Amino acid sequence: MQKKELLYEGKAKKVYRTTDPQVYIVSYKDDVTARNGLQRGIVVGKGTLSNRLSNRLFQLLEAQGIPTHFVQEWSDRETVVKKVEMIPLEVIVRNVAAGSLSKRLGFPEGTVLEQPVLEFRYKNDQLGDPMVNASHISALHVAAQEELEHMARLSLQANQILREFFASVQVDLIDFKLEFGRTPEGSLLVADEISLDTCRLWDSETHEKLDKDRLVQDLGGAQEAYGNMRRRLGFPQ
Ligand code: ADP
Ligand code: UDP
């Protein structure tokens, strides 16, 4: 198989066609963006970390019966993935209050939620990715009711698996975002990425932030935080 032309360049990744019509190659960039691209920065080595971490997590989910788009790591920042029809929804799972949940509902940051909280957002940059409920999703025709239920179930299962994984490197999984795609046969799989850009991760003891919030909240030390996670995960520096 060979990599062919660039099909799409997004905020965090480039997507390439290949000689195999069933797969794409995604290439992770070093750019970090937040607030729908209004805030930007570069973290050297972020692309390779996102690639390795996403692939490790996709393989972990697969091993526990959650289908993903992962096929094969292609290079330090590129991966072969199953080509799917993306569902324009973000599924967010939260274990601890932070970010927009704290802002909207008034939970102080760091409040442990009794049960995971699940949210759907409609992926639309112009609208600012608004939160939507099952009724909105049905009106928008972006996913069927059964698909919605399936995505919710898979996301909550993924939460358990990912929480355990991060706990093994003394990190709390505060919240994260998943995106799903439809295969040509109509089944759902987890696509896009699972990385420090899409998960909130805090040190279990000190609660130090080890993710993209270091950049988003101008806390400084984004480069160091990413290096810290790389060390914990045993990835090359
Ligand atoms: P954005 O488009 O939000 O800026 P990215 O920079 O991450 O995001 O771009 C990657 C693009 O590739 C996204 O539009 C995402 O929906 C899409 N994508 C991710 N995985 C797959 C896949 N397996 N098949 C098809 N498209 C995918
Ligand atoms: N998230 C994401 N992409 C988005 C929006 C959110 O990956 O476009 C992730 C974010 O990193 C966090 C979780 O979803 O882990 C919840 O984000 P929140 O609603 O608190 O919004 P934020 O404060 O990140 O804007």
Side-chain angles (χ1 to χ4, degrees):
M1 196 198 58
Q2 280 174 339
K3 187 164 127 185
K4 302 284 276 188
E5 81 274 10
L6 177 69
L7 285 177
Y8 175 79
E9 176 160 359
K11 295 184 283 286
K13 296 188 285 302
K14 295 179 187 172
V15 182
Y16 294 89
R17 199 168 68 81
T18 71
T19 47
D20 179 344
Q22 296 183 333
V23 303
Y24 283 153
I25 289 180
V26 294
S27 176
Y28 287 83
K29 310 200 292 186
D30 282 351
D31 305 52
V32 188
T33 63
R35 305 199 183 112
N36 270 331
L38 292 177
Q39 208 169 350
R40 289 166 183 277
I42 295 267
V43 175
V44 176
K46 195 209 70 162
T48 54
L49 173 58
S50 293
N51 189 41
R52 283 208 178 85
L53 178 56
S54 281
N55 292 344
R56 165 90 70 94
L57 299 176
F58 283 139
Q59 286 172 284
L60 193 65
L61 296 182
E62 288 274 354
Q64 310 254 7
I66 299 183
T68 78
H69 73 168
F70 176 79
V71 177
Q72 187 197 344
E73 200 159 280
W74 190 250
S75 72
D76 62 351
R77 69 171 68 234
E78 296 169 311
T79 293
V80 182
V81 300
K82 287 178 201 157
K83 172 175 157 182
V84 290
E85 179 196 356
M86 293 301 293
I87 296 175
L89 292 173
E90 294 183 343
V91 188
I92 292 168
V93 183
R94 301 172 181 276
N95 299 305
V96 175
S100 66
L101 184 75
S102 294
K103 277 197 211 98
R104 278 191 306 106
L105 300 184
F107 287 103
E109 182 181 83
T111 308
V112 177
L113 302 164
E114 273 167 33
Q115 299 195 35
V117 168
L118 192 71
E119 287 173 17
F120 289 93
R121 302 242 186 102
Y122 178 40
K123 257 183 85 91
N124 183 313
D125 280 348
Q126 267 150 21
L127 298 176
D129 299 344
M131 192 157 100
V132 284
N133 63 25
S135 176
H136 297 130
I137 292 169
S138 163
L140 287 164
H141 296 295
V142 290
Q145 184 62 33
E146 311 81 69
E147 286 181 319
L148 203 58
E149 283 163 18
H150 196 194
M151 284 189 274
R153 244 186 349 264
L154 291 175
S155 300
L156 291 172
Q157 279 169 19
N159 184 39
Q160 289 309 323
I161 298 164
L162 298 175
R163 271 176 99 162
E164 269 178 45
F165 171 81
F166 284 114
S168 74
V169 290
Q170 287 73 55
V171 167
D172 286 342
L173 176 60
I174 305 305
D175 56 37
F176 65 98
K177 179 265 298 178
L178 293 182
E179 290 182 30
F180 290 82
R182 265 182 218 108
T183 66
E185 296 75 40
S187 62
L188 291 182
L189 46 73
V190 181
D192 204 52
E193 69 178 274
I194 314 175
S195 69
L196 302 197
D197 284 8
T198 66
C199 299
R200 267 200 182 91
L201 299 164
W202 296 355
D203 180 280
S204 305
E205 290 288 317
T206 64
H207 306 308
E208 182 195 356
K209 292 178 180 169
L210 297 169
D211 55 59
K212 178 167 112 166
D213 270 352
R214 298 224 58 103
L215 190 103
V216 178
Q217 301 178 349
D218 283 329
L219 298 175
Q223 190 82 50
E224 290 72 20
Y226 282 63
N228 182 324
M229 280 305 295
R230 213 179 270 120
R231 259 193 313 282
R232 289 180 195 232
L233 296 163
F235 292 163
Q237 285 295 315

